[in-house]
Amino acid sequence: MTSFSSKHRPEIIQQLSNTPFDVLVIGGGITGAGIALDASARGLKVALVDMQDFAGGTSSRSTKLIHGGLRYLKQLELKLVAEVGKEREIVHRNAPHLTKPEPMLLPIIKQGSLGLFSARIGMWIYEWLAGVKKEEWHKVLSVEETLKREPLLNRTNLLGGILFYEYRTDDARLTIEVMKEAVSKGAVALNYSKVTSFKYIDGKISGAIIQDQIGNETFEISASYVVNSTGPWVDDLDDLDNSKATHKLHITKGVHLVVDHHKLPIHQSVYFDTPDKRMLFVIPREGKTYIGTTDTFYHDDIKHPTITDEDRAYLLNCVNSFFPNSQISISDVESGWAGLRPLINKPGKGPSEISRKDEVFMYDSGLLTIAGGKLTGYRKMAQRITNIIAKRIEDATGKQQVACITEHTQLSGGKIKSDISFSDFISLKIKEGVALKLSVKEAEILVNRYGSNVDVIFKLIQQLNETETSAMPVMLRAQIVYSIENEMCLTPSDFFIRRTGALYFDIALVKTWQKETTAYMQQHLLWNDELMKAFNEALQQNIEEVERLSR
């Protein structure tokens, strides 16, 4: 099996340098991870590189929902609605630990963008197109029933509500689990490895020159086919190619804020109209409530999108208007994140009007570029790209290629026996965690975060209890070791943002154990003083960025 451990970084670089690959995927977000999984599952030799950490861009900064595509009915994107609706169920089946059905309340208000009748018609069309299972069909609620489900709602102008289902996820962890599954099938993946130029043979792309962002060494990867799946960086990477393609992206920014659940103690997730006819989500999670998202055109630094005072004021004004008894203030904001949507450029359209469909671009050099799309549809996007590569291989060699099999591929962490329900699995594993002297809450967090891989975490906890004495919680130490050895976690920011989400949903934990975590990771990864200083400063900067939101 290919290694996915940060401890084996030199060996992985050597493997990337010395192996002729069928496919080189550039970009380690959900789209690139999906392509790596699809191609490696078909038996192709796959390499994947990302200049940041995996899921370091858009794929850790979404609304963290596996959308069914309801909102795309307004744009008459019927094919997109049908595809992502069906894909939602596939993602849920293959990664049940990371995709949870979430009842969503849509209040209907006077002069809102939807009336009760139009909302019902839309729901019927959506459920038919998306193949929504019967137990998740929508319900129409009266004003009293709507307020009973969510007493905090502003009852002024309230006409009733619609209860429907979305699926909540951890976008970064979903990306990591897809990547781990790809690696288990032979893909070779490396984070912090930037493409600086392409290689060519007779004018056809044949690989790339890579700069290791940690060791600063340069190496080459040779591959028959190269895919650009870099999200917001798609145009920048295409500019390195001899094809000199025209720019195709229109980037928009989405912002989310996090407050303690006591400050906005909603009973369930709510999806509501804003005064300017946009739609916002308010979602409870892990003792917090998060609010989002904005949708504005973005033209600044795509590596570090930030939350402006205007973004923050907009979200707080909207949520306070809809939940007037809460009155969230700036000082209540604990954290937040800004993410970018790499949408296909459609001149004359507003941010919310641009299609979320993906498109594939093919150039004379042989470079394949995929842009646009949604988290929910990652598997189909990967299938489309890999089908193109398979067809090219067939045309070149005459050898028939294997069809896509990922519809029934359980992801890492999702390998739960079919004779047990996921709820029973959780109950069983919580008991095992409690036997290791974890609290019920701690055990539940671990099971939901790691799924069937929680057994490895439990084994680490047992080993660490026997071999180490530390003030740092063993639950935290076990996750650090696991993420280093099994998820190519390299920095404290990787761990607190993309492996656990703690920077967003448990900032107190991050601040409490910041120094100890950095020291513990140095102990395992043997950083030199220069790296130690750089990683410390990066984590501190991330903490300060979210702390600024409350000032």
Side-chain angles (χ1 to χ4, degrees):
M1 183 184 297
T2 309
S3 174
F4 200 47
S5 168
S6 289
K7 291 181 176 180
H8 297 159
R9 190 174 182 86
E11 294 87 346
I12 292 169
I13 290 174
Q14 188 175 31
Q15 188 177 5
L16 288 169
S17 303
N18 297 337
T19 306
F21 290 95
D22 297 311
V23 184
L24 168 61
V25 182
I26 305 168
I30 190 65
T31 305
I35 295 167
L37 173 56
D38 192 328
S40 58
R42 300 193 203 195
L44 299 178
K45 288 184 178 179
V46 179
L48 182 145
V49 293
D50 193 293
M51 70 175 183
Q52 302 184 105
D53 186 27
F54 305 117
T58 299
S59 295
S60 59
R61 303 179 187 184
S62 73
T63 306
K64 306 186 188 302
L65 291 173
I66 299 292
H67 282 296
L70 178 63
R71 63 175 292 185
Y72 312 131
L73 280 179
K74 285 185 178 181
Q75 302 168 338
L76 298 179
E77 299 270 15
L78 302 185
K79 186 176 179 182
L80 181 61
V81 172
E83 179 172 288
V84 298
K86 293 180 174 68
E87 283 301 303
R88 183 179 70 169
E89 180 57 31
I90 293 171
V91 179
H92 173 55
R93 184 178 68 234
N94 290 337
H97 62 305
L98 291 177
T99 45
K100 310 293 176 58
E102 181 83 7
M104 189 76 63
L105 180 62
L106 172 62
I108 305 297
I109 59 173
K110 290 178 183 177
Q111 300 179 334
S113 63
L114 289 172
L116 274 173
F117 179 74
S118 61
R120 291 200 72 181
I121 294 296
M123 286 291 178
W124 282 328
I125 295 172
Y126 160 68
E127 287 165 352
W128 173 68
L129 287 171
V132 176
K133 50 194 177 187
K134 188 174 181 179
E135 59 266 32
E136 293 181 6
W137 286 355
H138 75 279
K139 296 177 183 177
V140 179
L141 307 177
S142 66
V143 172
E144 290 73 22
E145 289 170 327
T146 302
L147 289 170
K148 185 176 180 180
R149 294 212 56 115
E150 189 43 73
L152 289 178
L153 284 172
N154 187 350
R155 66 179 304 140
T156 307
N157 296 328
L158 186 64
L159 299 174
I162 303 284
L163 189 71
F164 66 105
Y165 279 83
E166 292 283 21
Y167 280 58
R168 185 161 54 91
T169 193
D170 182 323
D171 49 3
R173 285 218 56 81
L174 179 62
T175 303
I176 296 295
E177 298 290 32
V178 174
M179 196 77 73
K180 285 158 69 178
E181 192 61 30
V183 169
S184 77
K185 296 188 181 328
V188 184
L190 188 70
N191 49 7
Y192 297 103
S193 47
K194 182 179 181 178
V195 172
T196 58
S197 61
F198 291 121
K199 303 198 305 175
Y200 299 88
I201 297 176
D202 297 329
K204 295 297 182 181
I205 200 161
S206 62
I209 311 299
I210 314 294
Q211 184 180 38
D212 174 18
Q213 301 295 283
I214 304 303
N216 288 322
E217 65 178 293
T218 297
F219 61 96
E220 297 184 9
I221 299 177
S222 297
S224 301
Y225 303 94
V226 178
V227 179
N228 175 3
S229 62
T230 55
W233 290 270
V234 152
D235 285 331
D236 292 347
L237 197 71
D238 277 358
D239 284 347
L240 297 178
D241 181 46
N242 291 338
S243 303
K244 300 299 179 187
T246 57
H247 285 190
K248 61 196 71 63
L249 292 188
H250 216 146
I251 295 176
T252 70
K253 183 178 74 170
V255 165
H256 299 79
L257 300 178
V258 180
V259 300
D260 193 270
H261 189 253
H262 289 102
K263 296 293 182 180
L264 187 55
I266 54 174
H267 289 199
Q268 62 157 83
S269 296
V270 181
Y271 182 42
F272 66 91
D273 264 326
T274 65
D276 57 357
K277 307 301 182 186
R278 301 187 203 177
M279 300 296 291
L280 288 187
F281 290 97
V282 179
I283 301 173
R285 172 175 165 168
E286 298 175 15
K288 309 295 178 184
T289 302
Y290 67 97
I291 308 153
T293 176
T294 58
D295 201 359
T296 54
F297 287 128
Y298 185 78
H299 306 285
D300 297 323
D301 181 7
I302 58 178
K303 193 172 182 179
H304 299 290
T306 57
I307 300 174
T308 65
D309 292 347
E310 184 182 6
D311 294 329
R312 182 181 59 188
Y314 173 80
L315 288 177
L316 293 182
N317 288 338
C318 288
V319 79
N320 285 334
S321 173
F322 225 79
F323 302 94
N325 292 329
S326 293
Q327 291 307 304
I328 305 299
S329 66
I330 289 173
S331 61
D332 293 324
V333 178
E334 292 189 355
S335 65
W337 64 90
L340 302 180
R341 306 177 189 90
L343 306 178
I344 306 301
N345 189 15
K346 300 293 180 184
K349 288 186 176 290
S352 300
E353 298 173 311
I354 301 176
S355 173
R356 269 52 177 170
K357 283 175 61 179
D358 60 280
E359 289 190 29
V360 175
F361 301 86
M362 296 178 278
Y363 304 122
D364 292 341
S365 65
L367 178 67
L368 287 169
T369 293
I370 186 162
K374 293 289 293 177
L375 175 69
T376 311
Y378 84 88
R379 196 191 65 83
K380 294 299 287 187
M381 294 167 67
Q383 183 178 348
R384 283 189 274 275
I385 281 286
T386 311
N387 281 349
I388 293 170
I389 293 171
K391 178 67 166 57
R392 290 183 178 182
I393 293 174
E394 287 182 359
D395 291 345
T397 66
K399 183 179 178 181
Q400 187 173 1
Q401 298 298 297
V402 176
C404 177
I405 62 170
T406 56
E407 180 178 347
H408 302 289
T409 300
Q410 290 178 306
L411 299 181
S412 172
K415 302 178 191 301
I416 296 160
K417 294 179 180 178
S418 58
D419 60 350
I420 183 173
S421 68
F422 187 65
S423 59
D424 287 343
F425 173 81
I426 291 176
S427 298
L428 175 65
K429 294 303 173 182
I430 287 175
K431 290 179 181 177
E432 293 180 13
V434 170
L436 291 170
K437 298 184 179 179
L438 296 174
S439 70
V440 170
K441 182 180 179 181
E442 288 172 334
E444 186 175 12
I445 287 172
L446 291 177
V447 178
N448 281 291
R449 183 172 293 161
Y450 298 102
S452 58
N453 291 324
V454 77
D455 289 341
V456 184
I457 299 285
F458 286 168
K459 187 174 181 180
L460 281 168
I461 288 173
Q462 188 171 17
Q463 291 173 349
L464 293 173
N465 279 334
E466 294 171 353
T467 59
E468 288 184 357
T469 301
S470 172
M472 188 162 53
V474 68
M475 174 181 170
L476 190 60
R477 285 180 282 135
Q479 289 181 92
I480 292 169
V481 174
Y482 178 83
S483 67
I484 287 172
E485 295 183 349
N486 299 277
E487 298 182 340
M488 202 171 275
C489 179
L490 191 65
T491 78
S493 294
D494 296 345
F495 179 73
F496 281 127
I497 299 175
R498 289 165 291 276
R499 301 308 184 278
T500 64
L503 185 75
Y504 302 144
F505 297 104
D506 197 351
I507 185 66
L509 176 81
V510 181
K511 291 163 69 174
T512 300
W513 299 108
Q514 174 186 358
K515 292 181 180 179
E516 290 83 354
T517 295
T518 304
Y520 197 68
M521 292 187 72
Q522 183 188 34
Q523 176 186 329
H524 282 267
L525 289 168
L526 306 177
W527 302 327
N528 58 35
D529 290 341
E530 185 180 356
L531 283 178
M532 178 77 165
K533 182 173 182 289
F535 295 157
N536 252 329
E537 289 175 352
L539 178 59
Q540 184 59 36
Q541 183 179 351
N542 285 318
I543 292 172
E544 290 173 0
E545 283 179 2
V546 298
E547 286 185 325
R548 182 189 62 79
L549 296 174
S550 62
R551 297 194 291 269

